[in-house]
mmCIF file of all heavy atoms in Angstrom:
data_model
loop_
_atom_site.group_PDB
_atom_site.id
_atom_site.type_symbol
_atom_site.label_atom_id
_atom_site.label_comp_id
_atom_site.label_asym_id
_atom_site.label_seq_id
_atom_site.Cartn_x
_atom_site.Cartn_y
_atom_site.Cartn_z
ATOM 1 N N GLY A 180 47.830 169.418 49.665
ATOM 2 C CA GLY A 180 48.612 169.550 48.448
ATOM 3 C C GLY A 180 49.118 170.970 48.473
ATOM 4 O O GLY A 180 48.799 171.721 49.400
ATOM 5 N N HIS A 181 49.892 171.385 47.473
ATOM 6 C CA HIS A 181 50.498 172.716 47.581
ATOM 7 C C HIS A 181 49.898 173.768 46.653
ATOM 8 O O HIS A 181 50.384 174.892 46.603
ATOM 9 C CB HIS A 181 52.009 172.623 47.396
ATOM 10 C CG HIS A 181 52.417 172.108 46.047
ATOM 11 N ND1 HIS A 181 53.635 171.537 45.808
ATOM 12 C CD2 HIS A 181 51.767 172.085 44.883
ATOM 13 C CE1 HIS A 181 53.704 171.187 44.537
ATOM 14 N NE2 HIS A 181 52.581 171.518 43.961
ATOM 15 N N THR A 182 48.834 173.408 45.927
ATOM 16 C CA THR A 182 48.294 174.341 44.928
ATOM 17 C C THR A 182 47.867 175.677 45.541
ATOM 18 O O THR A 182 48.274 176.739 45.062
ATOM 19 C CB THR A 182 47.095 173.701 44.199
ATOM 20 O OG1 THR A 182 47.537 172.459 43.654
ATOM 21 C CG2 THR A 182 46.602 174.582 43.064
ATOM 22 N N LEU A 183 47.027 175.646 46.581
ATOM 23 C CA LEU A 183 46.519 176.886 47.166
ATOM 24 C C LEU A 183 47.659 177.687 47.788
ATOM 25 O O LEU A 183 47.766 178.896 47.581
ATOM 26 C CB LEU A 183 45.437 176.596 48.220
ATOM 27 C CG LEU A 183 44.167 175.891 47.736
ATOM 28 C CD1 LEU A 183 43.242 175.606 48.924
ATOM 29 C CD2 LEU A 183 43.423 176.731 46.695
ATOM 30 N N ASP A 184 48.516 177.023 48.540
ATOM 31 C CA ASP A 184 49.615 177.700 49.228
ATOM 32 C C ASP A 184 50.559 178.357 48.218
ATOM 33 O O ASP A 184 50.922 179.520 48.358
ATOM 34 C CB ASP A 184 50.374 176.676 50.088
ATOM 35 C CG ASP A 184 51.431 177.328 50.969
ATOM 36 O OD1 ASP A 184 51.091 178.316 51.652
ATOM 37 O OD2 ASP A 184 52.581 176.869 50.972
ATOM 38 N N GLU A 185 50.912 177.600 47.180
ATOM 39 C CA GLU A 185 51.861 178.100 46.190
ATOM 40 C C GLU A 185 51.306 179.294 45.425
ATOM 41 O O GLU A 185 52.023 180.240 45.126
ATOM 42 C CB GLU A 185 52.160 176.964 45.206
ATOM 43 C CG GLU A 185 53.559 176.930 44.690
ATOM 44 C CD GLU A 185 53.815 175.614 43.963
ATOM 45 O OE1 GLU A 185 53.239 175.406 42.860
ATOM 46 O OE2 GLU A 185 54.553 174.789 44.509
ATOM 47 N N ARG A 186 50.012 179.223 45.119
ATOM 48 C CA ARG A 186 49.416 180.288 44.315
ATOM 49 C C ARG A 186 48.821 181.414 45.164
ATOM 50 O O ARG A 186 48.285 182.374 44.626
ATOM 51 C CB ARG A 186 48.338 179.698 43.395
ATOM 52 C CG ARG A 186 48.955 178.764 42.334
ATOM 53 C CD ARG A 186 47.913 178.109 41.465
ATOM 54 N NE ARG A 186 47.045 179.060 40.800
ATOM 55 C CZ ARG A 186 46.000 178.722 40.048
ATOM 56 N NH1 ARG A 186 45.723 177.443 39.854
ATOM 57 N NH2 ARG A 186 45.247 179.643 39.484
ATOM 58 N N GLY A 187 48.904 181.281 46.491
ATOM 59 C CA GLY A 187 48.392 182.334 47.368
ATOM 60 C C GLY A 187 46.877 182.474 47.304
ATOM 61 O O GLY A 187 46.338 183.566 47.421
ATOM 62 N N ILE A 188 46.180 181.360 47.113
ATOM 63 C CA ILE A 188 44.711 181.367 47.047
ATOM 64 C C ILE A 188 44.160 180.941 48.404
ATOM 65 O O ILE A 188 44.691 180.035 49.039
ATOM 66 C CB ILE A 188 44.215 180.388 45.950
ATOM 67 C CG1 ILE A 188 44.902 180.643 44.611
ATOM 68 C CG2 ILE A 188 42.693 180.366 45.870
ATOM 69 C CD1 ILE A 188 44.251 181.604 43.696
ATOM 70 N N ASP A 189 43.061 181.581 48.833
ATOM 71 C CA ASP A 189 42.519 181.329 50.175
ATOM 72 C C ASP A 189 41.686 180.058 50.278
ATOM 73 O O ASP A 189 41.740 179.339 51.265
ATOM 74 C CB ASP A 189 41.615 182.502 50.601
ATOM 75 C CG ASP A 189 42.367 183.831 50.630
ATOM 76 O OD1 ASP A 189 43.505 183.838 51.140
ATOM 77 O OD2 ASP A 189 41.813 184.842 50.137
ATOM 78 N N ILE A 190 40.835 179.836 49.256
ATOM 79 C CA ILE A 190 39.817 178.786 49.367
ATOM 80 C C ILE A 190 39.796 177.933 48.098
ATOM 81 O O ILE A 190 39.820 178.466 46.983
ATOM 82 C CB ILE A 190 38.410 179.433 49.545
ATOM 83 C CG1 ILE A 190 38.326 180.228 50.857
ATOM 84 C CG2 ILE A 190 37.284 178.388 49.448
ATOM 85 C CD1 ILE A 190 38.330 179.399 52.131
ATOM 86 N N GLY A 191 39.733 176.627 48.273
ATOM 87 C CA GLY A 191 39.542 175.720 47.144
ATOM 88 C C GLY A 191 38.106 175.212 47.156
ATOM 89 O O GLY A 191 37.623 174.732 48.184
ATOM 90 N N VAL A 192 37.422 175.375 46.029
ATOM 91 C CA VAL A 192 36.080 174.812 45.887
ATOM 92 C C VAL A 192 36.271 173.446 45.219
ATOM 93 O O VAL A 192 36.660 173.363 44.050
ATOM 94 C CB VAL A 192 35.188 175.719 45.003
ATOM 95 C CG1 VAL A 192 33.798 175.127 44.878
ATOM 96 C CG2 VAL A 192 35.142 177.131 45.556
ATOM 97 N N VAL A 193 36.047 172.386 45.963
ATOM 98 C CA VAL A 193 36.415 171.065 45.467
ATOM 99 C C VAL A 193 35.358 170.576 44.468
ATOM 100 O O VAL A 193 34.159 170.592 44.757
ATOM 101 C CB VAL A 193 36.594 170.055 46.621
ATOM 102 C CG1 VAL A 193 37.087 168.708 46.096
ATOM 103 C CG2 VAL A 193 37.573 170.610 47.656
ATOM 104 N N THR A 194 35.821 170.186 43.294
ATOM 105 C CA THR A 194 34.917 169.759 42.218
ATOM 106 C C THR A 194 34.735 168.242 42.209
ATOM 107 O O THR A 194 33.674 167.741 41.865
ATOM 108 C CB THR A 194 35.490 170.177 40.853
ATOM 109 O OG1 THR A 194 36.838 169.697 40.774
ATOM 110 C CG2 THR A 194 35.493 171.698 40.716
ATOM 111 N N SER A 195 35.815 167.519 42.548
ATOM 112 C CA SER A 195 35.742 166.051 42.500
ATOM 113 C C SER A 195 36.832 165.468 43.382
ATOM 114 O O SER A 195 37.773 166.161 43.773
ATOM 115 C CB SER A 195 35.944 165.568 41.061
ATOM 116 O OG SER A 195 37.242 165.926 40.621
ATOM 117 N N ILE A 196 36.670 164.203 43.707
ATOM 118 C CA ILE A 196 37.692 163.482 44.476
ATOM 119 C C ILE A 196 38.185 162.342 43.600
ATOM 120 O O ILE A 196 37.384 161.580 43.028
ATOM 121 C CB ILE A 196 37.131 162.932 45.802
ATOM 122 C CG1 ILE A 196 36.526 164.081 46.629
ATOM 123 C CG2 ILE A 196 38.198 162.201 46.591
ATOM 124 C CD1 ILE A 196 35.828 163.641 47.902
ATOM 125 N N ALA A 197 39.501 162.263 43.450
ATOM 126 C CA ALA A 197 40.086 161.273 42.540
ATOM 127 C C ALA A 197 39.707 159.848 42.929
ATOM 128 O O ALA A 197 39.620 159.517 44.109
ATOM 129 C CB ALA A 197 41.609 161.420 42.540
ATOM 130 N N GLY A 198 39.495 159.020 41.919
ATOM 131 C CA GLY A 198 39.286 157.599 42.138
ATOM 132 C C GLY A 198 40.632 156.918 42.344
ATOM 133 O O GLY A 198 41.672 157.446 41.943
ATOM 134 N N LEU A 199 40.605 155.766 42.966
ATOM 135 C CA LEU A 199 41.849 155.087 43.328
ATOM 136 C C LEU A 199 41.767 153.598 42.990
ATOM 137 O O LEU A 199 40.765 152.946 43.282
ATOM 138 C CB LEU A 199 42.062 155.268 44.828
ATOM 139 C CG LEU A 199 43.290 154.737 45.541
ATOM 140 C CD1 LEU A 199 43.439 155.441 46.879
ATOM 141 C CD2 LEU A 199 43.257 153.243 45.782
ATOM 142 N N VAL A 200 42.830 153.103 42.362
ATOM 143 C CA VAL A 200 42.958 151.664 42.123
ATOM 144 C C VAL A 200 44.218 151.197 42.841
ATOM 145 O O VAL A 200 45.299 151.749 42.624
ATOM 146 C CB VAL A 200 43.067 151.347 40.616
ATOM 147 C CG1 VAL A 200 43.483 149.892 40.396
ATOM 148 C CG2 VAL A 200 41.750 151.628 39.916
ATOM 149 N N GLY A 201 44.069 150.223 43.719
ATOM 150 C CA GLY A 201 45.221 149.649 44.409
ATOM 151 C C GLY A 201 45.517 148.265 43.850
ATOM 152 O O GLY A 201 44.627 147.416 43.785
ATOM 153 N N LEU A 202 46.747 148.056 43.418
ATOM 154 C CA LEU A 202 47.135 146.749 42.860
ATOM 155 C C LEU A 202 48.361 146.219 43.595
ATOM 156 O O LEU A 202 49.184 146.993 44.081
ATOM 157 C CB LEU A 202 47.502 146.881 41.371
ATOM 158 C CG LEU A 202 46.428 147.367 40.408
ATOM 159 C CD1 LEU A 202 47.049 147.646 39.037
ATOM 160 C CD2 LEU A 202 45.320 146.322 40.273
ATOM 161 N N ARG A 203 48.450 144.886 43.668
ATOM 162 C CA ARG A 203 49.647 144.251 44.216
ATOM 163 C C ARG A 203 50.180 143.313 43.121
ATOM 164 O O ARG A 203 49.425 142.468 42.632
ATOM 165 C CB ARG A 203 49.299 143.463 45.478
ATOM 166 C CG ARG A 203 50.499 142.821 46.176
ATOM 167 C CD ARG A 203 50.065 142.149 47.471
ATOM 168 N NE ARG A 203 49.573 143.131 48.437
ATOM 169 C CZ ARG A 203 48.391 143.060 49.052
ATOM 170 N NH1 ARG A 203 47.577 142.051 48.823
ATOM 171 N NH2 ARG A 203 48.028 143.994 49.909
ATOM 172 N N ALA A 204 51.411 143.513 42.728
ATOM 173 C CA ALA A 204 51.995 142.666 41.684
ATOM 174 C C ALA A 204 53.122 141.825 42.280
ATOM 175 O O ALA A 204 54.018 142.354 42.936
ATOM 176 C CB ALA A 204 52.520 143.523 40.540
ATOM 177 N N ARG A 205 53.017 140.496 42.030
ATOM 178 C CA ARG A 205 54.050 139.574 42.530
ATOM 179 C C ARG A 205 54.810 139.022 41.327
ATOM 180 O O ARG A 205 54.227 138.329 40.489
ATOM 181 C CB ARG A 205 53.407 138.385 43.254
ATOM 182 C CG ARG A 205 52.778 138.719 44.563
ATOM 183 C CD ARG A 205 52.319 137.421 45.262
ATOM 184 N NE ARG A 205 51.751 137.713 46.550
ATOM 185 C CZ ARG A 205 50.492 138.136 46.715
ATOM 186 N NH1 ARG A 205 49.688 138.265 45.674
ATOM 187 N NH2 ARG A 205 50.051 138.412 47.931
ATOM 188 N N PHE A 206 56.101 139.325 41.251
ATOM 189 C CA PHE A 206 56.944 138.847 40.147
ATOM 190 C C PHE A 206 57.749 137.641 40.619
ATOM 191 O O PHE A 206 58.321 137.659 41.710
ATOM 192 C CB PHE A 206 57.924 139.940 39.719
ATOM 193 C CG PHE A 206 57.251 141.186 39.208
ATOM 194 C CD1 PHE A 206 56.881 142.203 40.083
ATOM 195 C CD2 PHE A 206 56.968 141.322 37.851
ATOM 196 C CE1 PHE A 206 56.252 143.342 39.614
ATOM 197 C CE2 PHE A 206 56.340 142.471 37.372
ATOM 198 C CZ PHE A 206 55.982 143.484 38.258
ATOM 199 N N THR A 207 57.799 136.616 39.777
ATOM 200 C CA THR A 207 58.605 135.453 40.116
ATOM 201 C C THR A 207 59.575 135.157 38.982
ATOM 202 O O THR A 207 59.159 135.000 37.827
ATOM 203 C CB THR A 207 57.716 134.218 40.361
ATOM 204 O OG1 THR A 207 56.695 134.580 41.297
ATOM 205 C CG2 THR A 207 58.510 133.052 40.918
ATOM 206 N N GLY A 208 60.863 135.154 39.314
ATOM 207 C CA GLY A 208 61.896 134.810 38.335
ATOM 208 C C GLY A 208 62.672 133.616 38.851
ATOM 209 O O GLY A 208 62.077 132.602 39.226
ATOM 210 N N GLU A 209 63.996 133.754 38.915
ATOM 211 C CA GLU A 209 64.803 132.640 39.405
ATOM 212 C C GLU A 209 65.949 133.170 40.267
ATOM 213 O O GLU A 209 66.759 133.985 39.811
ATOM 214 C CB GLU A 209 65.365 131.870 38.215
ATOM 215 C CG GLU A 209 65.945 130.531 38.600
ATOM 216 C CD GLU A 209 66.264 129.689 37.359
ATOM 217 O OE1 GLU A 209 66.918 130.232 36.442
ATOM 218 O OE2 GLU A 209 65.850 128.524 37.312
ATOM 219 N N THR A 210 66.002 132.686 41.493
ATOM 220 C CA THR A 210 67.099 133.073 42.388
ATOM 221 C C THR A 210 68.350 132.300 41.989
ATOM 222 O O THR A 210 68.275 131.101 41.691
ATOM 223 C CB THR A 210 66.719 132.744 43.848
ATOM 224 O OG1 THR A 210 65.525 133.457 44.171
ATOM 225 C CG2 THR A 210 67.812 133.139 44.810
ATOM 226 N N ASN A 211 69.489 133.029 41.956
ATOM 227 C CA ASN A 211 70.733 132.367 41.573
ATOM 228 C C ASN A 211 71.916 133.181 42.085
ATOM 229 O O ASN A 211 71.736 134.252 42.655
ATOM 230 C CB ASN A 211 70.784 132.214 40.029
ATOM 231 C CG ASN A 211 71.569 130.977 39.625
ATOM 232 O OD1 ASN A 211 72.462 130.526 40.342
ATOM 233 N ND2 ASN A 211 71.232 130.438 38.462
ATOM 234 N N HIS A 212 73.119 132.679 41.829
ATOM 235 C CA HIS A 212 74.333 133.327 42.327
ATOM 236 C C HIS A 212 74.604 134.631 41.569
ATOM 237 O O HIS A 212 74.559 134.657 40.343
ATOM 238 C CB HIS A 212 75.519 132.367 42.160
ATOM 239 C CG HIS A 212 76.721 132.777 42.941
ATOM 240 N ND1 HIS A 212 77.505 133.850 42.576
ATOM 241 C CD2 HIS A 212 77.271 132.276 44.073
ATOM 242 C CE1 HIS A 212 78.484 133.983 43.452
ATOM 243 N NE2 HIS A 212 78.363 133.022 44.381
ATOM 244 N N ALA A 213 74.908 135.696 42.326
ATOM 245 C CA ALA A 213 75.114 137.015 41.713
ATOM 246 C C ALA A 213 76.374 137.054 40.848
ATOM 247 O O ALA A 213 76.455 137.822 39.887
ATOM 248 C CB ALA A 213 75.207 138.083 42.797
ATOM 249 N N GLY A 214 77.346 136.223 41.174
ATOM 250 C CA GLY A 214 78.626 136.304 40.470
ATOM 251 C C GLY A 214 78.770 135.334 39.306
ATOM 252 O O GLY A 214 79.556 135.569 38.391
ATOM 253 N N THR A 215 78.007 134.261 39.320
ATOM 254 C CA THR A 215 78.221 133.222 38.303
ATOM 255 C C THR A 215 77.129 133.172 37.248
ATOM 256 O O THR A 215 77.318 132.571 36.194
ATOM 257 C CB THR A 215 78.280 131.835 38.976
ATOM 258 O OG1 THR A 215 77.011 131.618 39.622
ATOM 259 C CG2 THR A 215 79.402 131.751 39.990
ATOM 260 N N THR A 216 75.967 133.812 37.507
ATOM 261 C CA THR A 216 74.870 133.739 36.536
ATOM 262 C C THR A 216 75.099 134.786 35.442
ATOM 263 O O THR A 216 75.179 135.977 35.754
ATOM 264 C CB THR A 216 73.517 134.001 37.223
ATOM 265 O OG1 THR A 216 73.471 133.268 38.450
ATOM 266 C CG2 THR A 216 72.361 133.599 36.338
ATOM 267 N N PRO A 217 75.227 134.382 34.191
ATOM 268 C CA PRO A 217 75.477 135.353 33.114
ATOM 269 C C PRO A 217 74.349 136.382 33.061
ATOM 270 O O PRO A 217 73.182 136.039 33.257
ATOM 271 C CB PRO A 217 75.482 134.509 31.838
ATOM 272 C CG PRO A 217 75.688 133.106 32.300
ATOM 273 C CD PRO A 217 75.123 133.006 33.680
ATOM 274 N N MET A 218 74.695 137.634 32.775
ATOM 275 C CA MET A 218 73.714 138.712 32.759
ATOM 276 C C MET A 218 72.557 138.393 31.815
ATOM 277 O O MET A 218 71.406 138.695 32.109
ATOM 278 C CB MET A 218 74.358 140.047 32.351
ATOM 279 C CG MET A 218 75.324 140.623 33.371
ATOM 280 S SD MET A 218 74.694 140.737 35.068
ATOM 281 C CE MET A 218 73.477 142.032 34.921
ATOM 282 N N ARG A 219 72.873 137.790 30.692
ATOM 283 C CA ARG A 219 71.835 137.591 29.678
ATOM 284 C C ARG A 219 70.807 136.514 30.057
ATOM 285 O O ARG A 219 69.690 136.539 29.577
ATOM 286 C CB ARG A 219 72.500 137.238 28.346
ATOM 287 C CG ARG A 219 71.763 137.832 27.173
ATOM 288 C CD ARG A 219 72.518 137.675 25.882
ATOM 289 N NE ARG A 219 73.750 138.480 25.880
ATOM 290 C CZ ARG A 219 74.568 138.549 24.846
ATOM 291 N NH1 ARG A 219 74.320 137.852 23.746
ATOM 292 N NH2 ARG A 219 75.665 139.286 24.891
ATOM 293 N N SER A 220 71.185 135.605 30.910
ATOM 294 C CA SER A 220 70.249 134.514 31.217
ATOM 295 C C SER A 220 69.529 134.684 32.552
ATOM 296 O O SER A 220 68.869 133.776 33.032
ATOM 297 C CB SER A 220 70.987 133.174 31.187
ATOM 298 O OG SER A 220 72.019 133.183 32.149
ATOM 299 N N ARG A 221 69.659 135.846 33.138
ATOM 300 C CA ARG A 221 69.000 136.059 34.442
ATOM 301 C C ARG A 221 67.494 136.262 34.302
ATOM 302 O O ARG A 221 67.038 136.833 33.320
ATOM 303 C CB ARG A 221 69.579 137.293 35.132
ATOM 304 C CG ARG A 221 70.978 137.073 35.581
ATOM 305 C CD ARG A 221 71.534 138.332 36.208
ATOM 306 N NE ARG A 221 72.957 138.103 36.404
ATOM 307 C CZ ARG A 221 73.625 138.458 37.487
ATOM 308 N NH1 ARG A 221 73.029 139.103 38.456
ATOM 309 N NH2 ARG A 221 74.907 138.188 37.602
ATOM 310 N N ARG A 222 66.802 135.794 35.328
ATOM 311 C CA ARG A 222 65.363 136.125 35.443
ATOM 312 C C ARG A 222 65.200 136.872 36.775
ATOM 313 O O ARG A 222 64.866 136.277 37.788
ATOM 314 C CB ARG A 222 64.521 134.850 35.395
ATOM 315 C CG ARG A 222 64.622 134.123 34.044
ATOM 316 C CD ARG A 222 63.871 132.815 34.081
ATOM 317 N NE ARG A 222 62.448 133.042 34.312
ATOM 318 C CZ ARG A 222 61.670 132.187 34.981
ATOM 319 N NH1 ARG A 222 62.174 131.081 35.510
ATOM 320 N NH2 ARG A 222 60.392 132.453 35.148
ATOM 321 N N ASP A 223 65.506 138.167 36.702
ATOM 322 C CA ASP A 223 65.620 139.001 37.902
ATOM 323 C C ASP A 223 64.281 139.700 38.194
ATOM 324 O O ASP A 223 63.884 140.625 37.486
ATOM 325 C CB ASP A 223 66.738 140.027 37.664
ATOM 326 C CG ASP A 223 67.048 140.879 38.888
ATOM 327 O OD1 ASP A 223 66.099 141.176 39.659
ATOM 328 O OD2 ASP A 223 68.222 141.251 39.061
ATOM 329 N N ALA A 224 63.613 139.255 39.254
ATOM 330 C CA ALA A 224 62.272 139.787 39.568
ATOM 331 C C ALA A 224 62.322 141.259 39.976
ATOM 332 O O ALA A 224 61.397 142.024 39.698
ATOM 333 C CB ALA A 224 61.631 138.957 40.687
ATOM 334 N N LEU A 225 63.414 141.659 40.617
ATOM 335 C CA LEU A 225 63.513 143.057 41.059
ATOM 336 C C LEU A 225 63.720 143.999 39.873
ATOM 337 O O LEU A 225 63.170 145.108 39.845
ATOM 338 C CB LEU A 225 64.643 143.196 42.085
ATOM 339 C CG LEU A 225 64.862 144.579 42.704
ATOM 340 C CD1 LEU A 225 63.576 145.168 43.263
ATOM 341 C CD2 LEU A 225 65.922 144.496 43.802
ATOM 342 N N VAL A 226 64.486 143.546 38.889
ATOM 343 C CA VAL A 226 64.674 144.359 37.682
ATOM 344 C C VAL A 226 63.330 144.555 36.976
ATOM 345 O O VAL A 226 62.989 145.666 36.552
ATOM 346 C CB VAL A 226 65.716 143.711 36.734
ATOM 347 C CG1 VAL A 226 65.629 144.332 35.344
ATOM 348 C CG2 VAL A 226 67.112 143.878 37.304
ATOM 349 N N GLY A 227 62.542 143.497 36.896
ATOM 350 C CA GLY A 227 61.219 143.614 36.269
ATOM 351 C C GLY A 227 60.347 144.615 37.025
ATOM 352 O O GLY A 227 59.730 145.503 36.431
ATOM 353 N N ALA A 228 60.337 144.498 38.366
ATOM 354 C CA ALA A 228 59.520 145.395 39.185
ATOM 355 C C ALA A 228 60.000 146.839 39.031
ATOM 356 O O ALA A 228 59.194 147.772 38.923
ATOM 357 C CB ALA A 228 59.580 144.964 40.646
ATOM 358 N N ALA A 229 61.318 147.015 38.983
ATOM 359 C CA ALA A 229 61.880 148.373 38.859
ATOM 360 C C ALA A 229 61.459 148.996 37.525
ATOM 361 O O ALA A 229 61.126 150.186 37.459
ATOM 362 C CB ALA A 229 63.401 148.315 38.971
ATOM 363 N N ARG A 230 61.463 148.196 36.468
ATOM 364 C CA ARG A 230 61.030 148.722 35.164
ATOM 365 C C ARG A 230 59.543 149.133 35.222
ATOM 366 O O ARG A 230 59.146 150.114 34.598
ATOM 367 C CB ARG A 230 61.238 147.664 34.072
ATOM 368 C CG ARG A 230 62.691 147.516 33.656
ATOM 369 C CD ARG A 230 62.811 146.605 32.442
ATOM 370 N NE ARG A 230 62.006 147.087 31.307
ATOM 371 C CZ ARG A 230 61.740 146.366 30.226
ATOM 372 N NH1 ARG A 230 62.210 145.122 30.121
ATOM 373 N NH2 ARG A 230 61.021 146.865 29.250
ATOM 374 N N VAL A 231 58.753 148.356 35.967
ATOM 375 C CA VAL A 231 57.326 148.686 36.095
ATOM 376 C C VAL A 231 57.154 150.014 36.858
ATOM 377 O O VAL A 231 56.334 150.853 36.474
ATOM 378 C CB VAL A 231 56.561 147.540 36.796
ATOM 379 C CG1 VAL A 231 55.160 147.981 37.223
ATOM 380 C CG2 VAL A 231 56.485 146.325 35.873
#
Side-chain angles (χ1 to χ4, degrees):
H181 62 202
T182 305
L183 298 177
D184 187 49
E185 215 168 70
R186 293 177 56 184
I188 308 270
D189 300 316
I190 296 290
V192 181
V193 185
T194 52
S195 63
I196 304 175
L199 182 162
V200 168
L202 299 171
R203 183 176 295 127
R205 290 187 178 81
F206 298 88
T207 309
E209 193 170 49
T210 301
N211 210 332
H212 195 287
T215 61
T216 316
M218 291 309 290
R219 216 171 293 182
S220 60
R221 290 178 190 222
R222 295 175 63 212
D223 185 326
L225 182 51
V226 165
R230 284 188 57 193
V231 167

